Amino acid sequence: MNTFQKGKFELSGFSMSENFELLTKALDASISGIIITDNNQPDNPIIYCNSAFEVISGYSRKEIIGHNCRFLQAEDRNQKEREILAQSVKEGLDCAVVIRNYRKNGDLFWNELYMSPVKNSNGDVTHFIGVQNDVTERKKVEHDLRQQKVLMQQKVDERTVALRDSEAFLTSIIETVREGLLVLDPKFRVISANYHFLRTFKVSAEETVGKQLYELGNNQWDILKLRELLITILPTNNPVVDFEVEHDFPHIGKKLMLLNAYRIELEGQFKDQILLAIEDITERKEIERRKDDFLSIASHELKTPLTTIKGYMQILERNVPKEASDKFSVTLAKVSQYVERLNNLIAELLDVSRIQTGNIELHEESFDFDRMMSEVVEGIQASAQHHRIILTGKVDATVTADETHIMQVLNNLLSNAVKYGPESENIEVNVTNISEYVKVSVRDYGVGMSIDDKKRVFERFFRGSDIQKRFPGMGIGLYVCDQIIKNHNGTLWVESEKGKGSTFSFTIPKGGKKSNE
């Protein structure tokens, strides 16, 4: 905040620190979302946000700090307002736009943004301040008025026919959906039940329709968690999404169900009815459990013989006969290389196993972050002779974290940058202070990824279709990295465009995991 000149916000009788504290409280009390970005940092990252901005965007502060403001537009990048903002930032000018943004849960909201530059005594733009208001309701009213004019011109009989067709269409969909669907009235009596529900729970329509949900099948649906779920729907209009309930039914055994419940909305109006979707995930969860068990057992069992093989390889390398041929030495080196690759693969599988069972441990200690960054970059550079890794920025501070795990994340991101950019020359690594966080970015100029692949890149065992054909791997490295960063109360994200490379960035709190809880 040293760019704000002394006297610009001083109040008589208050010290500088008291004025600063008062200013901060005033910003947090504002009903408008306020952010400050640092124009001196690469990519103009957000360094401050008030509470109202967290409410408007749905993101927490730790998920906001360090990002460029464009993350709010998600994949909706072709807006002319973005060009206006970019030009204003470039020229250091004020601007006001109304732009489409997206909350963390994916909901669209219209953002009325006023952006102004902050200049130092030399007239240089050091920061930008953005004041934002959610004008979604205003936009909705404008849209509704336009729609109303159109609807008033339609004939009543045409509208009736359309509604009948829609009802028949929806009924056919409901009956073919492969999950149980129930429609309940305000007293939780069943108005309708689809065929899949009747078949899954072995009941008839006569036994179900018109009965209260909790009384079905001699009260076998009287489930405490289900009661708690349903009483939150009608009063709040909030949906319940992916709520797991396990129950032992007398006639069909134990079932693990995934429940989704919604207030029924027709033409923008909520009705006093609930749509309850019930998916039986018992078999799927059992398959996942067996897969995780196999993964854990296999990785542990493979580790022991591999350690022995690795030991024997080291003995052979130390005792190569003097008269050994070049072919013998080359073959021995290749075997050693593949043994090490297998060792790393099993280590990653063990990490996945520990993550799935909740046994991944965090050993936090204070260490010199800049030293650790230099060591990792030097280590990767030594083996990446066809690439030049450019490290910029410094933290100039000790960081409290699990150094081994953070090094593992950096090694993985840098190795991927080398692997997926075989024809590119430079890999750019930047480290910087962002408020109480450290931010690290790794940029490559490789193959990049599609929008769909980018959404799933941190999923376990996921590999993009194009990448899978060209590059070997199991798709667990980035999953492990994401879990490690989350375990530090940080965030890991990617910006990428197919054919133009990728930038992986993460932030972690400098003071350790507990400092950010």
Side-chain angles (χ1 to χ4, degrees):
M1 296 293 289
N2 55 4
T3 57
F4 293 98
Q5 298 178 15
K6 184 177 179 181
K8 290 296 180 66
F9 58 86
E10 281 191 345
L11 295 176
S12 178
F14 290 84
S15 67
M16 192 66 175
S17 62
E18 289 173 331
N19 276 312
F20 179 79
E21 182 179 1
L22 180 61
L23 177 62
T24 303
K25 289 182 178 178
L27 291 176
D28 272 328
S30 172
I31 61 173
S32 297
I34 299 174
I35 61 170
I36 300 175
T37 67
D38 190 345
N39 197 43
N40 293 320
Q41 299 274 14
D43 207 27
N44 202 15
I46 299 170
I47 61 171
Y48 168 82
C49 68
N50 70 345
S51 301
F53 183 77
E54 293 183 75
V55 174
I56 291 173
S57 68
Y59 289 90
S60 65
R61 185 173 182 273
K62 72 176 184 180
E63 296 170 315
I64 296 168
I65 297 297
H67 284 258
N68 183 279
C69 299
R70 64 176 171 268
F71 83 99
L72 287 175
Q73 284 96 60
E75 306 303 333
D76 190 2
R77 299 295 177 90
N78 297 322
Q79 302 186 53
K80 64 179 181 180
E81 290 78 7
R82 285 169 51 84
E83 298 177 5
I84 296 172
L85 289 170
Q87 190 64 27
S88 298
V89 170
K90 182 179 180 180
E91 299 178 3
L93 300 175
D94 296 303
C95 78
V97 296
V98 176
I99 188 168
R100 294 188 300 273
N101 283 347
Y102 297 85
R103 295 188 174 87
K104 181 179 179 180
N105 64 2
D107 289 348
L108 166 70
F109 73 97
W110 288 91
N111 186 16
E112 189 176 61
L113 169 63
Y114 298 89
M115 186 183 72
S116 299
V118 178
K119 300 180 180 179
N120 59 17
S121 57
N122 297 324
D124 297 322
V125 176
T126 61
H127 298 76
F128 282 91
I129 295 179
V131 180
Q132 345 213 7
N133 293 292
D134 185 350
V135 293
T136 307
E137 286 300 317
R138 188 183 79 192
K139 280 285 187 179
K140 185 176 185 300
V141 170
E142 293 171 357
H143 176 266
D144 289 347
L145 287 174
R146 290 193 297 269
Q147 289 295 102
Q148 190 63 30
K149 291 179 182 179
V150 175
L151 291 173
M152 288 175 63
Q153 298 175 17
Q154 295 180 352
K155 295 180 180 180
V156 174
D157 55 347
E158 292 176 349
R159 183 172 180 273
T160 303
V161 170
L163 289 173
R164 285 176 181 171
D165 291 344
S166 297
E167 183 179 359
F169 179 67
L170 289 173
T171 300
S172 64
I173 291 177
I174 289 171
E175 289 303 322
T176 55
V177 159
R178 293 187 61 81
E179 63 180 319
L181 294 176
L182 294 177
V183 177
L184 310 176
D185 70 9
K187 295 183 179 180
F188 309 131
R189 279 193 294 265
V190 179
I191 298 175
S192 67
N194 73 337
Y195 172 73
H196 194 76
F197 173 86
L198 302 177
R199 187 182 65 178
T200 301
F201 296 100
K202 303 188 186 313
V203 291
S204 65
E206 292 75 15
E207 298 172 305
T208 306
V209 177
K211 305 290 180 64
Q212 200 201 43
L213 176 65
Y214 307 133
E215 297 175 355
L216 295 181
N218 294 322
N219 300 309
Q220 66 178 3
W221 279 89
D222 191 2
I223 305 169
L224 179 60
K225 283 189 175 182
L226 184 58
R227 281 181 177 270
E228 293 173 352
L229 179 150
L230 289 175
I231 61 176
T232 64
I233 305 300
L234 283 174
T236 64
N237 296 338
N238 291 323
V240 173
V241 180
D242 293 343
F243 187 82
E244 287 190 9
V245 173
E246 187 174 29
H247 187 64
D248 196 351
F249 292 92
H251 304 296
I252 59 176
K254 185 175 290 186
K255 292 285 184 182
L256 183 61
M257 300 170 289
L258 195 65
L259 305 184
N260 290 273
Y262 303 85
R263 282 281 303 274
I264 292 179
E265 183 180 3
L266 296 174
E267 299 179 352
Q269 297 294 321
F270 285 111
K271 308 299 180 183
D272 286 339
Q273 295 175 354
I274 297 175
L275 175 63
L276 179 62
I278 306 167
E279 183 182 358
D280 182 5
I281 60 172
T282 310
E283 186 176 349
R284 188 178 78 194
K285 283 291 184 179
E286 178 61 20
I287 291 172
E288 289 179 2
R289 185 191 65 78
R290 290 177 181 176
K291 183 171 63 176
D292 290 339
D293 288 347
F294 172 78
L295 183 66
S296 177
I297 293 169
S299 55
H300 280 88
E301 291 298 320
L302 287 171
K303 189 71 176 175
T304 301
L306 184 64
T307 302
T308 304
I309 293 171
K310 190 175 179 181
Y312 282 126
M313 286 301 305
Q314 291 171 348
I315 293 172
L316 287 172
E317 288 174 335
R318 288 196 299 266
N319 296 279
V320 176
K322 294 180 180 180
E323 64 276 9
S325 64
D326 291 341
K327 184 177 181 180
F328 178 86
S329 300
V330 170
T331 303
L332 189 62
K334 285 185 177 180
V335 173
S336 181
Q337 178 185 348
Y338 282 105
V339 167
E340 186 60 33
R341 183 181 295 179
L342 182 58
N343 185 58
N344 292 335
L345 177 59
I346 292 174
E348 286 185 338
L349 289 173
L350 283 170
D351 284 337
V352 172
S353 176
R354 294 188 189 103
I355 290 168
Q356 292 301 113
T357 56
N359 292 327
I360 186 170
E361 296 182 0
L362 190 65
H363 301 287
E364 289 188 318
E365 291 183 357
S366 296
F367 61 94
D368 186 329
F369 199 84
D370 294 327
R371 173 193 56 76
M372 182 272 296
M373 286 291 303
S374 297
E375 289 178 358
V376 173
V377 169
E378 287 174 7
I380 297 295
Q381 182 67 83
S383 60
Q385 299 177 359
H386 300 292
H387 295 76
R388 186 162 64 102
I389 304 176
I390 304 169
L391 175 61
T392 59
K394 281 189 175 182
V395 176
D396 288 328
T398 58
V399 172
T400 301
D402 189 319
E403 184 176 7
T404 302
H405 280 173
I406 299 302
M407 290 178 70
Q408 181 179 349
V409 172
L410 287 167
N411 273 305
N412 191 285
L413 296 182
L414 287 169
S415 297
N416 281 353
V418 172
K419 178 179 180 180
Y420 297 120
E423 299 176 359
S424 61
E425 180 180 347
N426 293 335
I427 296 170
E428 298 169 4
V429 183
N430 178 261
V431 57
T432 186
N433 288 302
I434 303 289
S435 190
E436 70 271 28
Y437 296 86
V438 174
K439 178 183 177 182
V440 177
S441 297
V442 177
R443 181 179 184 181
D444 66 66
Y445 295 89
V447 296
M449 62 187 78
S450 66
I451 293 174
D452 292 336
D453 287 350
K454 190 169 67 171
K455 292 177 181 178
R456 300 185 58 195
V457 70
F458 298 113
E459 291 182 13
R460 184 172 53 144
F461 301 122
F462 174 77
R463 306 199 75 231
S465 55
D466 293 340
I467 289 175
Q468 193 168 4
K469 296 174 183 176
R470 296 178 55 188
F471 303 97
M474 290 188 64
I476 56 180
L478 287 175
Y479 167 77
V480 172
C481 289
D482 186 46
Q483 296 300 314
I484 287 174
I485 296 301
K486 283 180 179 177
N487 203 26
H488 281 78
N489 263 350
T491 55
L492 171 64
W493 68 95
V494 62
E495 296 185 61
S496 183
E497 190 173 344
K498 199 166 184 179
K500 296 185 179 180
S502 305
T503 301
F504 285 86
S505 303
F506 69 83
T507 56
I508 57 171
K510 288 185 280 190
K513 178 178 181 179
K514 291 184 178 179
S515 69
N516 200 38
E517 290 180 345

